[in-house]
Amino acid sequence: WAAQSAEAFLSKIFAVSYSIAGLNVLSGNPADHLVHRHTHRVVRGTLLICGRPDGRISALATAETATCLSVNQASSIQSLGGTCESVTIGHNPFKLPLSSNGIFLPRNRPLFLCERMLTENDLIEERSKKDRATHRQVAATGDISEPNHPTPIRRSSLRSLAL
């Protein structure tokens, strides 16, 4: 019903526009028959908007893959030196390489376990990079600087304290 509503709305808007501006609204399932029914009509200046399932959910992985393949195929068709402008709309925050833009919808669900694990791993990697950089700085300069300590502590002063 979304495609029919968009088609009706856009047709009514362009019906009252100037004669130089025209619009042809086509709808199709990108996971099923978009390639077979509509890609031969792609010309320069075509705007292709596709909903994209969230393939991070295993039940929707094949539907997302089929949609991505269809959009990439339509986006790679050349017409007078240009391609169509394709936009995907969905929850997966990954922009397709051949699409012009991606619209990422906010989520209302908790993070998947894999997303949470990746986020935590990223934080651990960032901390370890900072720690390695601090150790390199200490090895190079001999300064041990604590974040809340205003002046660096020299190794020589630590040695004298240990004696």
Side-chain angles (χ1 to χ4, degrees):
W1 65 269
Q4 292 172 346
S5 300
E7 182 178 357
F9 177 72
L10 292 169
S11 296
K12 299 268 185 213
I13 287 177
F14 276 86
V16 296
S17 68
Y18 295 106
S19 62
I20 195 169
L23 177 75
N24 186 14
V25 179
L26 304 171
S27 61
N29 183 356
D32 185 22
H33 55 261
L34 172 74
V35 172
H36 306 294
R37 290 187 183 173
H38 302 300
T39 53
H40 64 280
R41 299 176 183 171
V42 171
V43 295
R44 186 181 69 184
T46 300
L47 177 61
L48 175 66
I49 301 175
C50 285
R52 186 170 148 202
D54 194 353
R56 297 172 296 174
I57 300 171
S58 61
L60 299 175
T62 55
E64 183 190 30
T65 303
T67 300
C68 293
L69 288 172
S70 297
V71 171
N72 283 337
Q73 184 171 349
S75 299
S76 62
I77 296 172
Q78 295 281 326
S79 173
L80 299 173
T83 62
C84 73
E85 294 186 32
S86 56
V87 177
T88 58
I89 302 172
H91 293 282
N92 193 346
F94 173 75
K95 180 188 164 296
L96 296 177
L98 296 178
S99 66
S100 302
N101 197 3
I103 299 172
F104 310 119
L105 303 172
R107 65 173 183 269
N108 294 325
R109 60 162 179 78
L111 291 175
F112 292 123
L113 179 61
C114 61
E115 291 176 308
R116 189 171 185 166
M117 290 173 62
L118 287 172
T119 304
E120 290 174 2
N121 285 344
D122 289 344
L123 290 173
I124 290 169
E125 286 179 14
E126 286 179 28
R127 287 183 193 145
S128 65
K129 284 180 185 177
K130 288 180 184 177
D131 290 344
R132 284 193 299 264
T134 303
H135 290 301
R136 281 193 299 266
Q137 179 185 3
V138 168
T141 62
D143 290 340
I144 301 172
S145 302
E146 295 189 24
N148 296 328
H149 200 279
T151 58
I153 302 171
R154 298 255 175 219
R155 281 188 185 167
S156 58
S157 62
L158 289 176
R159 282 190 200 126
S160 63
L161 290 174
L163 299 173

